């Protein structure tokens, strides 16, 4: 079995919604598509798709395999393109969307360095703390912090986002310091609209723990919650990169050191790997290389 082709067939079946549609897309017979899929499942020792006459859906194994298959196919295409674009300077403009905190922590410095290296390029950044439709809004690349990716999009993992629960000394003096995860339910917790608005999840010595939280302020940008935390408004869950300097200066206090908030993946998300522009490919490779040397990479964040 050509495993790379089998992975391509698997991804096509998921993205196109059926074996017949995938066969047409790949210019392959339906029987051949079915054979590749069956051989891939046999090789992996697990079913990847639930299939009926009316619909299909991914199994839990299939969900995980899909992301890895897309990554392997993207890597294969990148290797195939190396010779084609050797010595070719990237040109053109990229439209990138990113959350406020990630833009300031990661993206802006990377963009500055990239534009200086490649003067024929331009980048437009849209700071949006919401999920956008890449195709409808004309976005080339979205940087997202999430553990719940849209399976219809192509994603490349860049690293991990670690978070910390923190509050100002003034708030803790007035309201007391939580000692256990459950104590957070009795505090004014400032919550992020798109993640963990009512439930914060942790991992401690005894395993996973979660707590229902609430407070008098919620916002769709974490920097707004950070500002209110500094003012003594409550307790917030913040990316480590956003609060490191405040923690070092004592303006904020890290809480619950025996419990680690759930880690989130940092992903570069784009609509399709087909006809990827040399500019997008170049910027993605640059971003991956740069983040591998930073504190946000898997090795240095773990």
């Amino acid at each position: 079995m050509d495993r790379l082709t089998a992975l391509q067939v698997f991804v096509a079946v998921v993205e196109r919604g059926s074996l017949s549609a995938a066969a047409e897309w790949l210019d392959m017979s339906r029987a051949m598509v079915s054979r590749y899929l069956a051989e891939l499942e046999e090789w992996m020792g697990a079913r990847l798709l639930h299939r009926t006459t009316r619909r299909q859906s991914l199994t839990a194994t299939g969900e995980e395999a899909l992301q890895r298959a897309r990554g392997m196919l993207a890597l294969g295409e990148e290797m195939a393109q190396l010779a084609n674009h050797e010595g070719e300077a990237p040109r053109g403009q990229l439209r990138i969307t990113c959350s406020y905190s990630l833009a300031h922590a990661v993206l802006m410095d990377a963009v500055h360095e990239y534009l200086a290296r490649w003067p024929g390029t331009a980048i437009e950044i849209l700071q949006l703390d919401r999920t956008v439709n890449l195709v409808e809004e004309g976005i080339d690349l979205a940087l997202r912090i999430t553990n719940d990716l849209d399976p219809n999009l192509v994603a490349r993992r860049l690293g991990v986002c670690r978070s910390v629960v923190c509050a100002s000394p003034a708030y803790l003096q007035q309201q007391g310091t939580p000692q256990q995860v459950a104590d957070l339910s009795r505090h004014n917790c400032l919550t992020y609209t798109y993640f963990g608005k009512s439930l914060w999840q942790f991992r401690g010595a005894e395993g996973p723990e979660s707590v229902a939280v609430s407070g008098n302020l919620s916002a769709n940008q974490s920097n707004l919650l950070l500002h209110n935390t500094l003012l003594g408004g409550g307790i917030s869950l913040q990316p480590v990169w956003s609060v490191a300097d405040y923690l070092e200066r004592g303006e904020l206090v890290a809480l619950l050191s025996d419990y680690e908030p759930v880690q989130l993946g940092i992903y570069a998300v784009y609509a399709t790997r087909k006809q990827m522009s040399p500019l997008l490919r170049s910027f993605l490779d640059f971003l991956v290389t740069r983040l591998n040397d930073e504190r946000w990479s898997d090795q240095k964040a773990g």
Side-chain angles (χ1 to χ4, degrees):
M1 177 184 63
D2 182 343
R3 290 173 181 170
L4 198 60
T5 300
L7 292 175
Q8 185 181 20
V9 167
F10 170 52
V11 171
V13 169
V14 174
E15 293 181 346
R16 297 291 152 179
S18 71
L19 272 66
S20 298
E24 183 178 355
W25 172 255
L26 295 169
D27 194 21
M28 187 182 293
S29 71
R30 188 184 186 283
M32 185 62 70
V33 166
S34 182
R35 178 183 172 187
Y36 269 117
L37 192 57
E39 290 183 354
L40 181 62
E41 289 180 327
E42 183 179 353
W43 175 59
M44 293 188 63
R47 182 171 291 279
L48 302 177
L49 291 166
H50 296 298
R51 296 186 294 277
T52 68
T53 55
R54 294 181 177 272
R55 62 186 297 272
Q56 68 178 29
S57 61
L58 286 164
T59 64
T61 301
E63 290 277 3
E64 184 176 355
L66 179 62
Q67 297 303 324
R68 300 195 179 205
R70 283 172 167 163
M72 292 177 68
L73 291 174
L75 180 60
E77 290 188 8
E78 288 170 15
M79 293 180 67
Q81 292 294 326
L82 286 177
N84 294 339
H85 298 291
E86 185 177 2
E88 179 182 336
R91 304 188 65 83
Q93 176 173 303
L94 286 178
R95 298 188 80 220
I96 302 174
T97 181
C98 183
S99 70
Y100 182 95
S101 66
L102 193 54
H104 282 262
V106 178
L107 184 59
M108 292 308 300
D109 287 347
V111 165
H112 173 75
E113 186 177 337
Y114 185 84
L115 293 176
R117 181 178 299 185
W118 303 112
T121 62
I123 293 176
E124 178 184 0
I125 298 174
L126 304 175
Q127 285 189 351
L128 300 172
D129 279 277
R130 63 177 175 85
T131 300
V132 301
N133 186 303
L134 303 184
V135 176
E136 290 182 0
E137 301 190 41
I139 303 297
D140 299 299
L141 179 68
L143 299 186
R144 292 180 181 167
I145 304 174
T146 183
N147 285 338
D148 186 23
L149 284 170
D150 183 342
N152 294 316
L153 297 174
V154 183
R156 186 167 177 178
R157 187 179 176 90
L158 301 178
V160 296
C161 173
R162 298 179 63 188
S163 301
V164 60
V165 178
C166 56
S168 70
Y171 175 88
L172 298 176
Q173 185 175 3
Q174 292 177 0
Q175 305 297 332
T177 301
Q179 302 298 321
Q180 304 291 331
V181 167
D183 296 342
L184 292 172
S185 65
R186 298 185 289 274
H187 282 266
N188 191 48
C189 294
L190 313 177
T191 56
Y192 179 53
T193 303
Y194 299 118
F195 173 78
K197 184 173 183 180
S198 59
L199 189 72
W200 288 358
Q201 297 177 306
F202 299 83
R203 179 170 292 277
E206 303 300 321
E209 291 194 38
S210 60
V211 59
V213 295
S214 61
N216 60 9
L217 178 65
S218 182
N220 68 343
Q221 291 190 354
S222 61
N223 64 302
L224 300 179
L225 302 178
L226 173 57
H227 184 70
N228 195 255
T229 306
L230 289 164
L231 293 174
I235 295 175
S236 67
L237 184 63
Q238 292 286 331
V240 170
W241 60 60
S242 296
V243 297
D245 292 340
Y246 298 110
L247 294 173
E248 186 175 349
R249 293 195 297 263
E251 297 176 50
L252 291 176
V253 177
L255 307 174
L256 303 173
S257 58
D258 291 335
Y259 302 89
E260 182 181 17
V262 64
Q263 292 185 2
L264 299 173
I266 304 175
Y267 293 92
V269 180
Y270 43 104
T272 177
R273 70 175 61 88
K274 293 183 179 296
Q275 292 91 42
M276 179 189 289
S277 70
L279 174 58
L280 177 55
R281 189 183 306 278
S282 168
F283 183 75
L284 266 176
D285 290 342
F286 172 81
L287 200 58
V288 169
T289 301
R290 196 177 193 283
L291 290 186
N292 281 338
D293 295 330
E294 298 288 357
R295 58 186 170 183
W296 305 287
S297 68
D298 286 318
Q299 292 181 345
K300 296 188 180 183

